[in-house]
Amino acid sequence: MSAAAPAKRLYIKTYGCQMNVYDSERMADVLAPLGYALTERPDDADLVVLNTCHIREKATEKVYSELGQLKRLKAARGADGGAMTIAVAGCVAQAEGEEIMRRQPAVDLVVGPQAYHRLPELIARSHRARGERLAADFAPQAKFDALSSERRPSGVTAFLTVQEGCDKFCTFCVVPYTRGAEWSRPAEAIEAEACALADQGVREVTLLGQNVNAYAGEGGLAALIRRLARIEGLERIRYTTSHPRDMDEALIVAHAEVPQLMPYLHLPVQAGSDRVLKAMNRAHTAESYLALIGKIRAARPDIAISGDFIVGFPGEREADFEATLDMVREVGYAQAFSFKYSRRPGTPAAALPGQVAEDVKEARLHRLQALLDEQQRAFNAAQTGRTLPVLFEKPGRRPGQLVGRSPYLQAVHAAAPERLIGEIVPVRIEGAAGHSLAGVLEAGPESA
Ligand code: 5AD
Ligand code: SF4
């Protein structure tokens, strides 16, 4: 979806009434941000849309005969090494549904008048079904293998990419269009890179992916974590970002059983109102998210929960926003990221009615952040008096001081000798200041 993307040709044939003419224009509008420009002829089009009408008799048969001709054009494009996507929209699509694809297999997708805002998603999905990647036309595996062999980690913690892309199509988000389909790196390559990192002194890896818990290697993310937990020297494992939908039983059990897996989970919920969640296409409700959090906490009672939130999604009313605040109160977040909804061209939500005024978004964000900040401070303050294992990463701001991370990802400052960088050391927490903790080495700075 970048400005540099080559123009793709869109041919729309409109049958029937004025309403269809209007709808065809709207379809062209929602597709323009994806790089589609209208063309007059179907011959060289990348995407052909038949916007159909079935008000008159035999209209349906006319559509099938048109599709028969398009099938030949599509085959000719394919023979030239190109590709043509054929979509059927309008009233025939509504009436016949997927029957059309059964009768004419050259049709890639069928979209009824109620779903035109989802055209970008449907087109992306149909390209994926053919094994095409949108926008990301590199071979991911080659990219990672080339990058990882040159890797020189600079510290005792490192990121490790295990997954890319997203198939969730949240209606506000550009990632499914810009990063392409979900793709998982083979476990062997990940393990090899993790071993190399451990050999170079890395003690903690954070497994990265747009949808990291959708990791599709054998046994999923839980199996990958157990595999990496066997690597000598690798003491801590984290992962981010997860989708509630992919939080499977095995991963929850891993939080209870794998000591290297840190008790911290970034699990975005985005909103607390089911109406808004549905419009966001999140595939979870407030209740199912809360039930999931309950299961995770049953497995690992001390786990720190983090999240992402969007305020001012189109159509969000005061009561919806209140539901988000209720959700936050119910969960109790250790950390969180919150954003004002921002309209991204090409995403379905950008075309929704009920866009929320900027000052309303601003005020809601302010209220939400005040609550989240209060929760983070409370979570940090509750560590006072506890002894936590801290992985020291680097010198702190003051001389003689090191800074590291608690299992809950809090920054911890303590007076400690430099040789403890890369070590996990028990630190008694004496206080919380702002967003970090201060403590003293349990064994004292000299004897540690
Ligand atoms: N507007 C505001 N926030 C967004 N995010 C993604 N897209 C948008 C958008 N259009 C936020 C979500 C996501 C995080 C990485 O960014 O909360 O989880
Ligand atoms: Fe995918 Fe996350 Fe974007 Fe939703 S918000 S579409 S899950 S990357």
Side-chain angles (χ1 to χ4, degrees), residues 85-96:
T85 299
I86 301 177
V88 179
C91 303
V92 174
Q94 185 71 18
E96 305 251 309

Side-chain angles (χ1 to χ4, degrees), residues 362-403:
E362 188 70 46
R364 288 181 185 167
L365 185 67
H366 209 76
R367 285 168 66 196
L368 175 62
Q369 289 186 338
L371 176 60
L372 289 167
D373 198 60
E374 191 185 302
Q375 292 194 338
Q376 182 170 7
R377 285 171 194 277
F379 183 84
N380 287 345
Q383 311 299 328
T384 306
R386 287 184 72 190
T387 295
L388 298 178
V390 172
L391 170 59
F392 282 119
E393 294 176 13
K394 57 187 180 200
R397 231 170 288 140
R398 293 197 208 122
Q401 206 187 43
L402 294 183
V403 59

Side-chain angles (χ1 to χ4, degrees), residues 157-181:
T157 65
F159 290 111
L160 178 46
T161 300
V162 306
Q163 185 274 342
E164 269 212 337
C166 179
D167 292 338
K168 306 298 187 285
F169 293 97
C170 299
T171 55
F172 51 80
C173 184
V174 294
V175 167
Y177 309 103
T178 56
R179 307 306 295 257

Side-chain angles (χ1 to χ4, degrees), residues 241-281:
T241 288
S242 296
H243 193 291
R245 204 173 100 172
D246 295 316
M247 203 65 215
D248 65 13
E249 195 65 37
L251 188 52
I252 296 174
V253 172
H255 272 287
E257 294 180 353
V258 180
Q260 290 89 341
L261 184 56
M262 290 293 102
Y264 180 95
L265 177 62
H266 183 63
L267 195 64
V269 66
Q270 311 298 357
S273 145
D274 287 344
R275 213 172 59 80
V276 172
L277 288 170
K278 186 152 188 274
M280 287 177 163
N281 192 28

Side-chain angles (χ1 to χ4, degrees), residues 5-62:
K8 289 169 273 184
R9 286 173 295 262
L10 165 65
Y11 173 74
I12 305 183
K13 177 156 182 165
T14 309
Y15 301 79
C17 66
Q18 213 42 48
M19 193 63 215
N20 267 13
V21 173
Y22 171 79
D23 281 348
S24 290
E25 285 169 9
R26 272 182 49 218
M27 285 190 259
D29 287 346
V30 300
L31 291 169
L34 295 185
Y36 285 98
L38 282 169
T39 174
E40 299 294 313
R41 299 157 49 77
D43 311 51
D44 60 350
D46 299 291
L47 172 60
V48 174
V49 179
L50 297 187
N51 191 5
T52 62
C53 168
H54 78 159
I55 204 157
R56 277 176 293 117
E57 225 183 335
K58 296 212 177 135
T60 305
E61 285 316 309
K62 244 171 86 183

Side-chain angles (χ1 to χ4, degrees), residues 172-174 268 270 308-310 339-344:
F172 51 80
C173 184
V174 294
Q270 311 298 357
D308 289 345
F309 297 88
I310 294 177
F339 314 92
K340 286 185 284 187
Y341 169 71
S342 115
R343 208 169 172 172
R344 311 303 309 273

Side-chain angles (χ1 to χ4, degrees), residues 26 117 279 313-316 341 343 348-356:
R26 272 182 49 218
H117 62 286
F313 185 82
E316 184 188 73
Y341 169 71
R343 208 169 172 172
L352 286 178
Q355 300 285 329
V356 175

